[in-house]
Amino acid sequence: MTTSAYIHIPFCKSKCKYCSFISYIEEEKVDSYINALIKEIKSRYNKEKLKTLYIGGGTPSLLKPNKITKLIKEFNYDKDCEITLEVNPEDATLEYFKKLYDIGINRISMGAQTFDDNILKIIGRRHNSKQTIKAVEMAQNVGFNNISLDLIYGLPENYDYKKDLKTITSLNIQHISTYGLKIEENSFFYNNLPQNLPNDDKQADLYLETISYLETKGYTQYEISNFAQKGYESRHNLNYWNNKYYYGFGLAAHGYENEIRYSNYETFEEYLKNPNTHKNIHSVTIQENLKKKYF
Ligand code: SF4
């Protein structure tokens, strides 16, 4: 039975310089995209009661709350379903959070990345550290009590990463995801390598520093990149980690159902034409399953 679902929202206002995710700066396509997504969900979702729903991107917070409502109305829910929406700090307003809360979103994930404004500019983010801190406060004021922030370590230039760790743990959030900067082939940085990147050893040191610092602040590492206060481990992440089935809906989304891993078309042209057809399908072999279980 498949009780987790991921929905991909492939729109962004601009492209961050380290980003290799599939996202497009074509907001005018939002309406046709939502219609295609709903077609896909209606044709493949088997009405199970979901335990987790994750709306990620891209930038899902570019969607107005009525569009998000349209999507989440398509599903049945277990009574404690974890429903996460990724929000970019620059999109956050009190009004927006109130609406998200009212329509049933109960977990917010935001990309802080760093609290150093100079580095945020260098990596092409649109927000600044004040906006992140304010966004967290607004979400808390509205009533969200399950908030996650993303932090990147190993960013270019010399900056005070320890300060980032101190700041993020001072915000009284429940969950932190940390990622080492990787220069991926499809990113701007791949052909325009930034100055002062830490080498692999330094990056490994930063990872270890992250683990030990977050542990001292009450965040337990429950998966390679994820840390949570007790009881706030993301059930959606754990579903992936434990190799359980999940639906993947939307352009470029990946899913895993009935021993089949699949991925969807990656361009608007292809996806809008074929929302119900996967681009790639791979039957998972017994050997692959055993490997996942034991290694
Ligand atoms: S990092 Fe996130 S916000 Fe930036 S371009 Fe990529 S998907 Fe969009």
Side-chain angles (χ1 to χ4, degrees), residues 74-173:
E74 289 297 318
F75 299 98
N76 299 320
Y77 296 96
D78 200 64
K79 74 174 172 17
D80 293 323
C81 183
E82 177 188 279
I83 308 180
T84 305
L85 185 95
E86 288 181 354
V87 173
N88 277 13
E90 70 271 20
D91 297 327
T93 64
L94 200 62
E95 197 53 30
Y96 191 67
F97 279 131
K98 269 188 195 150
K99 288 197 172 139
L100 294 182
Y101 191 82
D102 289 345
I103 64 176
I105 303 295
N106 54 31
R107 185 170 183 273
I108 296 290
S109 174
M110 283 189 279
Q113 318 310 8
T114 171
F115 293 87
D116 184 312
D117 288 339
N118 181 41
I119 307 284
L120 283 169
K121 273 195 201 129
I122 290 171
I123 63 175
R125 293 294 308 202
R126 299 173 69 89
H127 69 276
N128 59 40
S129 57
K130 266 196 191 147
Q131 285 174 303
T132 306
I133 294 168
K134 184 93 185 112
V136 170
E137 281 168 9
M138 287 190 289
Q140 287 168 333
N141 288 341
V142 158
F144 284 103
N145 61 3
N146 194 352
I147 298 173
S148 178
L149 288 186
D150 293 348
L151 193 66
I152 303 181
Y153 57 87
L155 288 166
E157 304 292 334
N158 296 319
Y159 71 107
D160 190 351
Y161 177 63
K162 188 70 175 263
K163 201 167 154 201
D164 273 356
L165 289 173
K166 280 187 190 151
T167 308
I168 204 166
T169 50
S170 70
L171 298 176
N172 199 21
I173 53 170

Side-chain angles (χ1 to χ4, degrees), residues 222-236:
Y222 68 94
E223 189 248 54
I224 294 177
S225 325
N226 289 301
F227 302 79
Q229 292 177 345
K230 199 170 174 345
Y232 288 96
E233 298 82 6
S234 158
R235 279 181 268 145
H236 193 81

Side-chain angles (χ1 to χ4, degrees), residues 12 14-16 18-19 21 23 57-59 88 125:
C12 286
S14 55
K15 199 79 185 166
C16 303
Y18 58 91
C19 180
F21 297 135
S23 68
T59 309
N88 277 13
R125 293 294 308 202

Side-chain angles (χ1 to χ4, degrees), residues 115-294:
F115 293 87
D116 184 312
D117 288 339
N118 181 41
I119 307 284
L120 283 169
K121 273 195 201 129
I122 290 171
I123 63 175
R125 293 294 308 202
R126 299 173 69 89
H127 69 276
N128 59 40
S129 57
K130 266 196 191 147
Q131 285 174 303
T132 306
I133 294 168
K134 184 93 185 112
V136 170
E137 281 168 9
M138 287 190 289
Q140 287 168 333
N141 288 341
V142 158
F144 284 103
N145 61 3
N146 194 352
I147 298 173
S148 178
L149 288 186
D150 293 348
L151 193 66
I152 303 181
Y153 57 87
L155 288 166
E157 304 292 334
N158 296 319
Y159 71 107
D160 190 351
Y161 177 63
K162 188 70 175 263
K163 201 167 154 201
D164 273 356
L165 289 173
K166 280 187 190 151
T167 308
I168 204 166
T169 50
S170 70
L171 298 176
N172 199 21
I173 53 170
Q174 290 71 29
H175 189 280
I176 297 171
S177 299
T178 61
Y179 305 97
L181 180 72
K182 263 174 101 189
I183 306 293
E184 304 277 5
E185 209 174 324
N186 298 325
S187 67
F188 173 87
F189 278 159
Y190 188 75
N191 292 317
N192 305 272
L193 208 60
Q195 300 281 303
N196 294 330
L197 279 178
N199 61 25
D200 290 352
D201 283 350
K202 175 70 185 154
Q203 207 176 89
D205 289 346
L206 292 169
Y207 178 56
L208 296 177
E209 183 185 343
T210 306
I211 297 170
S212 53
Y213 187 85
L214 293 183
E215 294 273 343
T216 65
K217 296 291 178 184
Y219 295 90
T220 304
Q221 183 179 27
Y222 68 94
E223 189 248 54
I224 294 177
S225 325
N226 289 301
F227 302 79
Q229 292 177 345
K230 199 170 174 345
Y232 288 96
E233 298 82 6
S234 158
R235 279 181 268 145
H236 193 81
N237 287 346
L238 285 171
N239 191 74
Y240 293 144
W241 187 244
N242 293 323
N243 201 24
K244 301 245 178 81
Y245 294 151
Y246 59 96
Y247 289 104
F249 295 116
L251 181 153
H254 290 234
Y256 178 38
E257 293 169 62
N258 305 318
E259 299 306 307
I260 289 174
R261 290 199 178 270
Y262 56 83
S263 60
N264 286 354
Y265 286 99
E266 295 171 3
T267 65
F268 279 115
E269 291 65 35
E270 288 172 306
Y271 179 74
L272 294 182
K273 251 193 252 153
N274 312 286
N276 305 336
T277 321
H278 304 309
K279 182 182 178 198
N280 296 306
I281 292 179
H282 169 73
S283 294
V284 176
T285 61
I286 295 172
Q287 283 84 353
E288 283 168 329
N289 251 338
L290 286 174
K291 249 195 211 162
K292 175 81 187 175
K293 200 166 171 190
Y294 294 109

